[in-house]
Amino acid sequence: MVGAGPGGSAAAYHMARHGLRVLLLEKTEFPREKVCGDGLTPRAVRQLVRMGVDTSEKAGWLHNRGLRVIGGGVRLELDWPDLASFPNYGLVRTRLDFDDMLAKRAVEAGALLRTGVNVTGPVLDDEGRAIGVSAKVGPGKEPIEYRAPLVIAADGVSGKMPLAMGLAKRDDRPIGVAVRRYYQSPVRAEDDYLESWLELRSAADGHLLPGYGWIFGLGDGRVNVGLGILNSSDAFGKTNYRSLLTDWLAGTPEEWGMRGEENADGPILGAALPMGFNRVPHYTRGMMLVGDSGGMVNPMNGEGIAYAMESGELAAEVAVQALARPAGADRERALRAYPAELSLRFGGYYRLGGVFVKLIGNPQIMRLATKHGMPHPTLMRFVLKLLANLTDPRGGDAMDRIINGLTKVAPAV
């Protein structure tokens, strides 16, 4: 297992729990920071519960009731839907200890964690099949090889492992860029809702800025504030995103403490968001791709953690069945079920997400949608279910049936 982020740790946990010997390799040391919004929807909460994580407030989690949407002169609070398939609350927690917690759960389940291991690439046999990984360890960067019957790449956006297998990113799939910063802001730190800004205004002249923003209270006196831009926007790749963030925040109320540097807690950091299966296939020649390595960020809302953990659990389920078979054609047949099931679960939904990204990349369409959609709470509840991918597959309401129907008729990406 290469990478002990949420996807890698989830896969390691579920594989170890089913009795497989799992080696989890991570290049950094825990705890460690990652660029993220730190907000978790009920879809991610479900995966935490499936890993046996205590998500109570006593365990240090800040719960939220839903999403507050700001745009078009409207401020709308939308509660997470009540569903049989998902809990009705979201969470906020920084990646500094979130990833550490998940890695520890994997270890408790029986996985062997090795940190400070910089994996440099796959080890291939004569037929080009991955039979392990090469790495460098220790202060002297000593070379070492680890052999395994199956390699799972959860190495994030860089995708060093899949690239070495000839799996390049697809330019026809959405990608985003996000920047975020922490601020000391006791006024905003405690919040029952994740806050999303559909319109960002320049503090200098009030003109509309590209992208969307968020303000997530962390419950410890701080907030996570950031913005994201999609590659369907004309501003993508042509904008100083850090300046964009400070320009927007300069127009926020002074008591929030986000206008200058005095309340900033750390630098502005950025990261790419690989979306909509932008690297496929998700299994090839002895290697499975999990999370950002396989471009699994939701194009509708930029959420990556839930899909990293979900793909990690699915990879584990397939791996357990495959490795119970003898090496050869029978095992390969079982392993090919992984990309097939991913496509079945998310392919149609991500196809809709690709259309959505193109539409909101047009400022005129975005303005019209915000102006005419925001004043209608019922429509916005439908939009929340669609964007957060929160529906009951069976026995749901009319909204669920419409969304599920759309994802089924959309061709898989």
Side-chain angles (χ1 to χ4, degrees):
M1 189 81 59
V2 181
S9 290
Y13 168 84
H14 290 290
M15 290 172 72
R17 194 170 63 87
H18 284 91
L20 294 184
R21 294 176 59 202
V22 182
L23 178 61
L24 181 58
L25 304 176
E26 168 61 36
K27 66 180 178 181
T28 61
E29 301 288 343
F30 288 112
R32 55 109 165 95
E33 189 175 34
K34 292 284 282 186
V35 179
C36 185
D38 298 334
L40 303 172
T41 71
R43 194 170 193 104
V45 177
R46 181 180 69 168
Q47 293 306 122
L48 290 172
V49 172
R50 291 177 70 85
M51 286 183 65
V53 174
D54 179 2
T55 63
S56 68
E57 292 177 322
K58 289 181 180 179
W61 298 89
L62 181 66
H63 285 218
N64 57 71
R65 295 171 52 188
L67 183 68
R68 180 184 303 115
V69 186
I70 297 172
V74 178
R75 181 178 182 272
L76 190 63
E77 291 183 345
L78 302 165
D79 286 355
W80 299 121
D82 283 317
L83 300 168
S85 305
F86 299 94
N88 65 350
Y89 64 95
L91 298 168
V92 177
R93 191 153 188 155
T94 69
R95 294 289 295 276
L96 185 66
D97 63 350
F98 178 81
D99 289 19
D100 188 20
M101 178 190 312
L102 295 190
K104 286 176 178 174
R105 286 297 296 155
V107 171
E108 289 167 5
L112 182 61
L113 173 66
R114 289 285 181 265
T115 57
V117 179
N118 184 16
V119 175
T120 55
V123 176
L124 305 178
D125 64 13
D126 293 338
E127 298 177 348
R129 179 184 176 83
I131 55 173
V133 298
S134 57
K136 294 181 179 179
V137 299
K141 297 182 178 179
E142 299 295 326
I144 189 172
E145 286 189 359
Y146 301 97
R147 298 295 180 102
L150 181 64
V151 176
I152 296 182
D155 54 342
V157 179
S158 65
K160 186 186 300 182
M161 296 296 287
L163 279 173
M165 299 291 285
L167 303 180
K169 290 184 291 186
R170 291 187 52 156
D171 294 332
D172 62 337
R173 303 289 163 84
I175 192 166
V177 171
V179 294
R180 70 101 172 100
R181 193 178 206 181
Y182 295 120
Y183 286 89
Q184 295 289 339
S185 179
V187 174
R188 296 301 316 271
E190 303 285 342
D191 200 338
D192 287 339
Y193 290 86
L194 301 177
E195 187 168 282
S196 177
W197 291 56
L198 303 184
E199 293 179 340
L200 307 179
R201 296 283 174 180
S202 169
D205 55 18
H207 77 271
L208 194 63
L209 300 171
Y212 64 92
W214 70 80
I215 300 176
F216 297 164
L218 298 176
D220 61 0
R222 297 181 301 159
V223 289
N224 180 314
V225 185
L227 62 83
I229 295 179
L230 298 164
N231 63 345
S232 57
S233 169
D234 290 339
F236 186 83
K238 307 171 186 175
T239 304
N240 185 321
Y241 306 122
R242 289 168 173 80
S243 297
L244 202 65
L245 180 64
T246 55
D247 188 8
W248 165 47
L249 293 179
T252 58
E254 188 172 358
E255 61 268 23
W256 290 5
M258 304 175 199
R259 288 188 175 184
E261 296 293 313
E262 59 271 15
N263 294 318
D265 185 4
I268 299 174
L269 299 176
L273 304 174
M275 299 174 168
F277 291 165
N278 80 335
R279 187 179 277 118
V280 291
H282 292 117
Y283 170 75
T284 184
R285 307 188 333 267
M287 182 182 293
M288 304 170 95
L289 310 186
V290 161
D292 285 2
S293 182
M296 297 187 195
V297 174
N298 182 349
M300 300 274 199
N301 67 355
E303 181 181 19
I305 289 177
Y307 299 92
M309 295 181 70
E310 203 164 331
S311 63
E313 181 180 16
L314 176 59
E317 291 173 1
V318 172
V320 167
Q321 294 298 325
L323 294 176
R325 304 182 180 192
D330 199 25
R331 181 180 292 178
E332 285 299 301
R333 190 179 306 112
L335 289 168
R336 285 196 294 272
Y338 176 62
E341 178 61 25
L342 277 176
S343 181
L344 189 64
R345 286 192 191 185
F346 303 125
Y349 179 78
Y350 282 177
R351 174 69 73 181
L352 291 178
V355 174
F356 172 79
V357 165
K358 291 177 181 176
L359 289 174
I360 66 171
N362 185 318
Q364 291 179 321
I365 293 177
M366 188 62 181
R367 276 196 296 271
L368 286 171
T370 302
K371 179 181 177 181
H372 297 289
M374 285 287 290
H376 301 283
T378 300
L379 174 61
M380 292 305 294
R381 282 195 291 272
F382 174 84
V383 171
L384 176 66
K385 279 194 167 189
L386 175 64
L387 299 192
N389 199 9
L390 295 173
T391 62
D392 276 327
R394 289 172 295 277
D397 61 16
M399 293 183 185
D400 292 2
R401 291 193 293 273
I402 292 171
I403 294 170
N404 295 340
L406 287 171
T407 60
K408 286 178 181 177
V409 300
V413 293

